[in-house]
Amino acid sequence: MTRQIKVTPQEFAEMNKKIRPKPKLLRNCFMAFVVGGAICLLAQVLINVYQYLGIGLKEAVTLGTVSMILLGSLLTGLGLYDGIVALGGAGGILPVTGFANAMVSPAMDYKKEGYVLGVGAKMFSVAGPVIISGTITAFLLGVLSLLFR
Amino acid sequence: MPASIWLNLIPAFLIGGLLCVGAQLLMDLTKPQFTPAHVLIVFVVAGAIAGALGWYEPLAKFAGAGATVPLTGFGYIMGKGAVEGAQSGIMGVLAGGIGAGAIGITAAILFSYICAVSFKPKG
């Protein structure tokens, strides 16, 4: 026999609000700060090493970014990057390692749909919108600077 | 290696960390919650605008990887590229954004494809 509970939808929503845990905002921000900062620090260490090896500043910075993309892809492939995102939230998402993760992760998951529509298409499920918004914004800014020079 | 070159690690950590806190706030305080894709788009667009206005350059000089590794850095490079391209007209505008971001885009596509093809997903 099922028991009838007399609760109006409004009351239910209020109960739900009370019971549901509030997002731990402060803790999330702290972890994002530490993890995101640590990723950037590692990239800076690489840049310093590249410069020490005689590479110019501009090239060293670019190479640092490329190295982090490689690192993010590898860690995702090895199944380790999910742990970084679980720990650091946005601290794992915003750096370029997270961008690489957002490309590799769905591509790997949809591999059984083939190398074209699986890997090829799913790789851009997050990267696509990001590149689109960057490209269109950059274009509009370029046009504006053409007009108001 | 001289010890002084390691001093730039501090601003890299602090600025990189702060940008990520901004992204975390954007995720936690939006309803419905922003997905990672939404957050990345906001930061790329913001970086592009800041780059085109010349605001991001000082931050990149100060914070190094702390400014270039978060996705704002990607937007910054593209925005700056398109505005610099504008000096040679509309063709420069069309080529400038992706042109400036080309190294990152190519590296990301190349490494991602190789990794996605060669590793097996867990679970």
Side-chain angles (χ1 to χ4, degrees):
Chain A
M1 197 182 94
T2 52
R3 200 155 60 97
Q4 288 285 324
I5 309 170
K6 281 181 187 143
V7 185
T8 64
Q10 287 93 338
E11 281 170 344
F12 181 77
E14 264 177 40
M15 285 161 68
N16 200 6
K17 211 173 168 185
K18 265 185 210 161
I19 290 167
R20 187 173 294 179
K22 286 190 181 117
K24 296 167 190 148
L25 191 63
L26 207 65
R27 192 187 167 277
N28 287 353
C29 286
F30 177 74
M31 290 314 290
F33 181 73
V34 172
V35 172
I39 291 172
C40 296
L41 185 141
L42 174 64
Q44 190 63 53
V45 169
L46 291 176
I47 293 170
N48 288 357
V49 170
Y50 295 147
Q51 273 193 281
Y52 183 72
L53 295 174
I55 300 170
L57 174 66
K58 209 179 160 208
E59 285 74 20
V61 169
T62 308
L63 202 56
T65 304
V66 170
S67 308
M68 294 310 281
I69 294 171
L70 177 61
L71 182 68
S73 308
L74 282 175
L75 288 178
T76 306
L78 294 168
L80 299 172
Y81 204 84
D82 283 349
I84 296 177
V85 175
L87 187 73
I93 293 167
L94 188 64
V96 78
T97 43
F99 182 67
N101 169 255
M103 291 179 80
V104 176
S105 190
M108 218 161 50
D109 290 343
Y110 282 89
K111 203 170 10 177
K112 40 178 167 326
E113 291 186 15
Y115 291 122
V116 177
L117 295 177
V119 180
K122 299 296 178 188
M123 219 167 91
F124 286 97
S125 53
V126 171
V130 171
I131 293 174
I132 288 168
S133 60
T135 303
I136 294 176
T137 310
F139 171 75
L140 293 176
L141 291 164
V143 170
L144 284 178
S145 84
L146 263 187
L147 296 175
F148 300 100
R149 203 136 36 101
Chain B
M1 227 182 282
S4 60
I5 72 164
W6 300 111
L7 282 176
N8 62 9
L9 299 185
I10 298 164
F13 180 85
L14 292 178
I15 300 297
L18 282 177
L19 284 169
C20 293
V21 169
Q24 187 68 50
L25 287 174
L26 198 59
M27 283 172 77
D28 283 354
L29 298 180
T30 44
K31 269 182 196 174
Q33 221 185 27
F34 267 27
T35 69
H38 290 84
V39 173
L40 293 182
I41 286 172
V42 169
F43 274 76
V44 165
V45 170
I49 294 171
L53 293 172
W55 296 349
Y56 208 80
E57 189 104 27
L59 189 69
K61 279 216 175 87
F62 171 68
T68 55
V69 168
L71 264 259
T72 33
F74 181 60
Y76 151 65
I77 287 171
M78 292 186 82
K80 194 177 147 210
V83 169
E84 283 174 0
Q87 286 169 359
S88 51
I90 188 69
M91 290 302 158
V93 172
L94 284 166
I98 291 192
I103 297 176
I105 294 174
T106 303
I109 292 176
L110 189 68
F111 298 149
S112 297
Y113 201 83
I114 293 170
C115 287
V117 167
S118 31
F119 290 102
K120 282 204 171 101
K122 281 188 178 171

